[in-house]
Amino acid sequence: MDGGGAYNPRTVEEVFRDFKGRRNGMIKALTTDVHDFRRLCDPEKENLCLYGLPNEQWEVNLPAEEVPPEIPEPVLGINFARNGMVEKDWLSLVAVHSDAWLLAVAFFFGSRFGFDKADRKRLFNMMNELPSVFEVVTGTAKKQSKEKSSVSNNSSNRSKSNSKRGGSEPRPKYSKAEPKEEEEEEEDDDEQGETECGACGENYAENEFWICCDLCESWFHGKCVKITPARAEHIKQYKCPSCSNNKRGRS
């Protein structure tokens, strides 16, 4: 269930990297890959679990047969409630259990390799900087991001003509050749740091391709929504997976 054999992260950074990969995989399952996830959660099958893998992939599978398992197991039977709940409530419930499992796995590794109080605190702080799976799936992380960005005066006046672009800038940025006051530079840097991907919830980083939904105006990593810079050039109006799903649901 580890996506490539035994994997034992031993340092705080390695455990955090493992946590981040598994988290991103579970977020994909519950957002961009939600149709595949729902299809695999067949209520007619036995107890199924959602596994996040260190390589940012996911799988729905039966629990490990070995006792005790190599690492803590996710919650069992997520498939049984699929047809008995409203879909968003079912996904939210799976997301809550996913957050609990991710923390359990991270601190399992921490205990196994003797992390002391300082290491455990540093690990938790690193994980806590990221929105939880539940916050991403329910849109809470997106709302928090909008509340932060509302403090900036310039954010509401951005032109929609810049909604699709590649390179390293999810928000407009002045070139070095243009004169700019120091206060403007700091404000623009703050805006970029506050930009969060609507799929995985991670903040803006340099040298990444981002795309903005023309309906909800949320930003996404191209890799999270499977859009390349070349493909974006031919998209007149981009709709994120959530907006596309909502439109299909109303038709």
Side-chain angles (χ1 to χ4, degrees):
M1 305 301 175
D2 270 348
Y7 174 61
N8 294 320
R10 294 174 179 270
T11 67
V12 171
E13 288 73 19
E14 288 176 343
V15 172
F16 176 66
R17 188 160 55 247
D18 179 90
F19 167 87
K20 192 174 175 182
R22 294 178 190 274
R23 169 186 171 275
N24 288 347
M26 299 181 107
I27 288 175
K28 283 182 183 178
L30 300 175
T31 55
T32 56
D33 297 347
V34 67
H35 296 300
D36 291 333
F37 171 68
R38 180 180 173 83
R39 175 178 53 81
L40 292 171
C41 290
D42 186 350
E44 299 301 319
K45 295 184 178 180
E46 298 181 37
N47 284 309
L48 293 176
C49 305
L50 171 61
Y51 291 89
L53 307 178
N55 61 358
E56 300 191 5
Q57 299 302 311
W58 60 273
E59 66 177 13
V60 171
N61 213 330
L62 294 171
E65 294 183 0
E66 59 181 314
V67 178
E70 185 177 346
I71 63 172
E73 286 290 305
V75 67
L76 299 173
I78 58 172
N79 50 316
F80 296 145
R82 189 194 73 179
N83 296 340
M85 298 177 66
V86 176
E87 181 173 291
K88 67 176 183 178
D89 294 336
W90 175 61
L91 294 175
S92 297
L93 180 63
V94 176
V96 169
H97 285 293
S98 298
D99 283 320
W101 179 68
L102 289 169
L103 290 172
V105 172
F107 279 92
F108 168 82
F109 285 129
S111 296
R112 181 174 180 180
F113 296 112
F115 287 7
D116 59 18
K117 180 179 180 180
D119 286 339
R120 292 193 302 272
K121 182 177 181 179
R122 186 157 67 95
L123 173 60
F124 179 79
N125 288 339
M126 292 170 72
M127 295 188 295
N128 201 39
E129 285 297 311
L130 298 175
S132 67
V133 177
F134 176 80
E135 288 174 332
V136 174
V137 171
T138 59
T140 306
K142 199 181 297 184
K143 292 177 183 177
Q144 291 174 347
S145 177
K146 287 184 178 180
E147 289 174 0
K148 289 180 181 178
S149 62
S150 65
V151 178
S152 301
N153 294 327
N154 293 337
S155 60
S156 61
N157 298 321
R158 296 296 182 186
S159 171
K160 286 294 291 173
S161 62
N162 293 318
S163 64
K164 292 184 283 288
R165 49 182 181 278
S168 61
E169 302 174 5
R171 290 185 179 271
K173 197 172 183 180
Y174 292 90
S175 67
K176 292 183 180 178
E178 295 179 357
K180 191 166 85 167
E181 297 296 331
E182 182 177 349
E183 292 181 0
E184 291 177 333
E185 291 178 353
E186 292 177 356
E187 183 177 351
D188 197 54
D189 290 342
D190 289 342
E191 285 183 16
Q192 289 186 346
E194 291 168 357
T195 303
E196 293 181 353
C197 174
C200 69
E202 293 186 26
N203 289 331
Y204 159 78
E206 293 186 1
N207 301 319
E208 292 181 329
F209 169 68
W210 285 57
I211 187 167
C212 180
C213 175
D214 288 303
L215 296 185
C216 67
E217 300 186 10
S218 297
W219 288 94
F220 300 86
H221 289 106
K223 64 180 181 181
C224 289
V225 291
K226 302 177 182 177
I227 299 292
T228 63
R231 183 179 173 189
E233 292 297 326
H234 302 284
I235 300 176
K236 292 183 179 180
Q237 184 184 51
Y238 173 68
K239 299 176 185 176
C240 70
S242 296
C243 291
S244 297
N245 292 338
N246 289 339
K247 184 176 181 180
R248 281 197 293 268
R250 291 193 297 269
S251 60

